[in-house]
Amino acid sequence: VSDLDPDLLARLPRPAERNVTLRLARGAEGHVRRGHPWVFDRAIEHQSHEGAAGDLAVLFDHKRALLALGLYDPTSPIRVRVLQRKKPVPIDEAFFARALDAAIEQRAPLLGTDTDGYRVVHGENDGLPGLVVDRYADTLVVKLYSLAWFPRLRDVLPPLHARLAPRHVVLRQSRAVQLLTADLYGLEEGQALTQGPLTTPVVFKEEGLRFEADPVRGQKTGFFLDQRENRALVERKAQGRRVLNAFAYSGGFSLYAARGGAVEVVSLDSSGPALAHAARNFELNQDDSRVAACKHELLCEDAFAAFERLAAEGRRFDLVIIDPPAFAKRQEEVGRALASYGRLVRLGLGVLKVGGELVMASCSSRVSVEDLREVTLQQAKAARRALRIELETAHALDHPIGFSEGAYLKCLFASA
Ligand code: SAH
């Protein structure tokens, strides 16, 4: 365990003494009352004064009753992130400690699964909108999606540190926040909040498999922790199979397939460093005889082009996994995203043996499971494949869904 860096904590800004009081347009009140954690700038009808990021926002309804307390952020269109409804309570270290206790308690079942890489706090879904905490063995990654969290870190970090006793705490920021913080508090992306040099990358375990993650430079916070349960399902289908894992990143699905007894796994990604990472992850698990016996092939290529080439070459697989990056971050992009998912299903079926299995994932929060199901069935029909959806999965217990936008991950398991 290393202590939090006291100089750094001392440099953090403090919230103003004066709260920002706000009244919302009538339509927006119900939204908050029903539990939505975001208040957009356009929903604000009146406010006391312009506050600074991280000041306490106090929302009143039209009858002057307290609606909610939240964190104010003048730099974001999500102007207030709601922490507490109706009942006034101090937003202090004890408040955050209670939220952390609830989140940690919810993840307790994971500790029995030989897993020390998981999401400890999943933002709005754990009542802490804009704050993500991931654990990779003895390293914690705190990722901030709003500037409002900086003045609150003083109250969040000590209880977090006390409960999880990490060796390192790494600070990550969303792109929007990074652009604002560089000169604000002298805090850099990927910087340690604990004393002593950071040892990175770190090796952690997921369901007994070893993975390396780079919490400082890796995508997201270093690993796609949200796919753990889908990977475990793939493991159970992999015995004796030839597997194609498209958008493989560091080979999460590939390793599970190998441990499940796949004879061959192809990891396909357009990023060379991601595939080098996947190769290292295979190295880390050579003590498992099934992983050691599995032939692992790396394919560094655009997935769309690779599917067509493989199909033309007559290569076929028993199991095809497609887990692309989010195609639709905004509502306007949904149509195009669905077309891309459809194309991928079509291409995936082109290299899938008859009677094989297709695993199709989407992490676009704007694409519903119904949409994904429909494009999948449509493409199968167009390709004259008798596709049957056998399972639709959603979120694991460390990625709870607390509001509609929280349901971003969906995954179909189909035979075709
Ligand atoms: N399935 C992974 C996570 C995928 S993240 C896991 O379980 O960990 C998305 C990946 O898609 C990234 O590694 C990125 O490099 C890759 N990628 C993005 N566009 C691509 C493309 N057109 N072709 C191939 N790979 C692509």
Side-chain angles (χ1 to χ4, degrees):
V1 184
S2 334
D3 289 335
L4 293 164
D5 183 339
D7 296 338
L8 200 143
L9 290 187
R11 276 214 305 274
L12 290 170
R14 287 176 191 279
E17 295 282 329
R18 185 177 171 206
N19 300 334
V20 184
T21 54
L22 303 146
R23 193 176 65 226
L24 305 186
R26 281 176 198 274
E29 281 182 3
H31 196 59
V32 171
R33 204 169 268 131
R34 284 190 298 275
H36 202 283
W38 295 342
V39 175
F40 284 93
D41 48 358
R42 57 175 186 268
I44 296 168
E45 198 172 84
H46 179 265
Q47 78 183 66
S48 57
H49 64 287
E50 181 58 298
D55 288 355
L56 189 71
V58 184
L59 309 179
F60 291 99
D61 67 14
H62 280 78
K63 292 182 181 149
R64 297 176 189 244
L66 179 71
L67 195 60
L69 303 175
L71 298 182
Y72 187 76
D73 183 355
T75 70
S76 165
I78 304 178
R79 193 55 42 93
V80 178
R81 289 173 170 80
V82 174
L83 293 170
Q84 166 74 21
R85 278 179 195 77
K86 283 193 250 173
K87 217 178 86 195
V89 297
I91 304 299
D92 54 8
E93 188 172 324
F95 175 86
F96 292 116
R98 287 195 300 276
L100 290 171
D101 281 336
I104 290 168
E105 161 93 30
Q106 193 171 340
R107 275 88 179 160
L110 277 179
L111 301 177
T113 64
D114 207 5
T115 296
D116 64 8
Y118 56 92
R119 180 149 294 187
V120 180
V121 174
H122 190 36
E124 5 300 86
N125 307 285
D126 281 301
L128 298 171
L131 176 73
V132 160
V133 181
D134 285 343
R135 177 181 169 199
Y136 297 103
D138 56 8
T139 298
L140 292 179
V141 186
V142 172
K143 184 156 179 179
L144 308 181
Y145 289 83
S146 158
L147 212 55
W149 280 101
F150 287 90
R152 302 290 167 171
L153 285 179
R154 202 189 297 279
D155 288 336
V156 173
L157 293 174
L160 182 68
H161 189 272
R163 281 157 180 75
L164 297 168
R167 194 140 84 97
H168 306 290
V169 180
V170 177
L171 176 70
R172 297 285 303 261
Q173 308 161 41
S174 71
R175 213 170 285 273
V177 172
Q178 273 176 51
L179 293 172
L180 297 163
T181 49
D183 358 288
L184 272 180
Y185 319 117
L187 291 171
E188 281 166 41
E189 171 65 354
Q191 102 158 65
L193 300 174
T194 29
Q195 290 180 313
L198 214 57
T199 42
T200 180
V202 290
V203 174
F204 66 97
K205 275 179 159 188
E206 193 185 77
E207 304 254 348
L209 282 167
R210 276 181 222 102
F211 289 98
E212 180 191 291
D214 184 347
V216 176
R217 280 166 293 265
Q219 292 190 43
K220 294 254 210 159
T221 62
F223 195 67
F224 288 82
L225 295 165
D226 51 3
Q227 289 286 19
R228 184 183 57 251
E229 292 184 355
N230 291 327
R231 292 184 186 121
L233 286 165
V234 160
E235 175 172 7
R236 279 187 245 149
K237 296 172 181 299
Q239 181 60 45
R241 305 290 197 152
R242 293 184 192 282
V243 180
L244 174 60
N245 178 17
F247 306 92
Y249 188 49
S250 57
F253 281 103
S254 301
L255 256 307
Y256 279 76
R259 189 173 64 178
V263 289
E264 176 190 315
V265 175
V266 178
S267 294
L268 163 61
D269 201 286
S270 56
S271 154
L275 291 176
H277 190 169
R280 288 198 298 282
N281 284 337
F282 267 78
E283 281 307 311
L284 283 173
N285 292 281
Q286 289 300 310
D287 57 340
D288 183 298
S289 59
R290 290 154 302 181
V291 174
C294 175
K295 178 168 171 252
H296 185 214
E297 185 183 331
L298 304 173
L299 210 55
C300 189
E301 200 174 346
D302 169 69
F304 294 86
F307 275 121
E308 283 183 22
R309 188 179 54 75
L310 292 168
E313 289 169 2
R315 270 187 85 172
R316 298 292 180 270
F317 299 86
D318 308 292
L319 181 55
V320 174
I321 301 150
I322 305 177
D323 179 27
F327 288 142
K329 296 220 168 84
R330 280 169 297 155
Q331 192 56 38
E332 309 88 82
E333 297 165 339
V334 168
R336 215 160 358 116
L338 283 175
S340 299
Y341 287 121
R343 235 182 108 206
L344 284 172
V345 169
R346 185 72 175 264
L347 291 167
L349 290 173
V351 294
L352 186 71
K353 279 184 199 160
V354 172
E357 287 209 63
L358 179 71
V359 180
M360 185 70 210
S362 160
C363 59
S364 307
S365 65
R366 309 259 173 195
V367 170
S368 68
V369 67
E370 290 78 17
D371 289 341
L372 185 65
R373 186 192 305 141
E374 197 179 307
V375 294
T376 301
L377 292 171
Q378 261 170 14
Q379 293 297 326
K381 198 167 167 199
R384 296 171 195 281
R385 292 284 290 258
L387 181 138
R388 206 178 67 233
I389 293 174
E390 288 174 344
L391 185 63
E392 295 176 355
T393 62
H395 283 219
L397 70 84
D398 56 332
H399 290 72
I401 302 171
F403 70 133
S404 54
E405 287 86 343
Y408 67 94
L409 185 66
K410 43 282 301 182
C411 188
L412 309 180
F413 289 75
S415 64

